[in-house]
Amino acid sequence: MYTGFLHLHSLLRWVLLIFLLIMIYRAFTGRSSGRAFSDQDRKLSLFTMISAHLQLVLGFAMYFMNDTISMALSDMAATMKDGVLRFLAVEHVLTMVIGIVLITIGHIKAKKASTDHAKFTAILVFYLIGLILIVSRIPWPFMEVGEGRGWL
Ligand code: HEM
């Protein structure tokens, strides 16, 4: 089951990154052209948030099933000195949770905003910061922590 979760978590990264890029592009162009915030914008923003929440649920399920992480959490002093263990047990989780919270805030702010300009601005700012945080803490194959992992 763990392997299935890991494959899904790995693939879903691309779904989330693509949704984030599409929404950031739409928010940027929508804001500068002054067009109306459409139902398609609302739906795409919702799908972006749902993919982020799915990653959160899958990630936490794996976090508590993973023996290396349990071991890392039992000796935090040693974990903080080991770059790979620190990345997996601390940096990945904390940064992703912050990124997902920002995406959620952006979606809610856009929903509540009274003007189309304010809706696009909320999505542009919160989704962009979320995207930067998320990209910075993915265990990419070219990183030490990503050794042996694939691009998919
Ligand atoms: C936007 C959110 C996230 C993205 C894009 C993301 C992406 C990834 C990717 C690409 C991997 C490597 C997969 C592979 O080796 O094939 C990974 C591993 C992992 N992620 Fe996430 N993740 C996210 C959020 C989370 C969260 C919130 C947790 C919660 C604790 C989490 C826990 C884990 C764990 C435990 C692993 C390591 C699995 C292993 O090496 O066995 N992830 N993540």
Side-chain angles (χ1 to χ4, degrees), residues 12 16 47-59 100-101 103-104:
L12 202 59
L16 175 60
F47 293 152
T48 310
M49 191 183 71
I50 292 172
S51 341
H53 287 182
L54 274 176
Q55 279 297 66
L56 187 74
V57 173
L58 276 174
I100 296 166
V101 167
I103 292 168
T104 309

Side-chain angles (χ1 to χ4, degrees), residues 2 6 9-10 13 16 55-56 59-60 62-63 66 69 88 92-93 96-97 100 134 138-139 149-150 152:
Y2 187 91
L6 185 61
H9 191 66
S10 185
R13 112 186 73 176
L16 175 60
Q55 279 297 66
L56 187 74
F60 269 105
M62 291 193 306
Y63 196 80
N66 186 309
I69 292 178
L88 278 183
H92 182 70
V93 193
M96 295 308 186
V97 169
I100 296 166
I134 288 169
I138 285 178
R149 297 180 197 271
L152 280 176

Side-chain angles (χ1 to χ4, degrees), residues 136-149:
S136 78
R137 281 300 172 271
I138 285 178
W140 296 109
F142 54 80
M143 296 165 93
E144 197 188 351
V145 65
E147 243 171 59
R149 297 180 197 271

Side-chain angles (χ1 to χ4, degrees), residues 98-112:
I98 296 170
I100 296 166
V101 167
L102 289 176
I103 292 168
T104 309
I105 295 175
H107 179 76
I108 294 170
K109 274 188 171 290
K111 206 170 160 182
K112 290 192 173 159

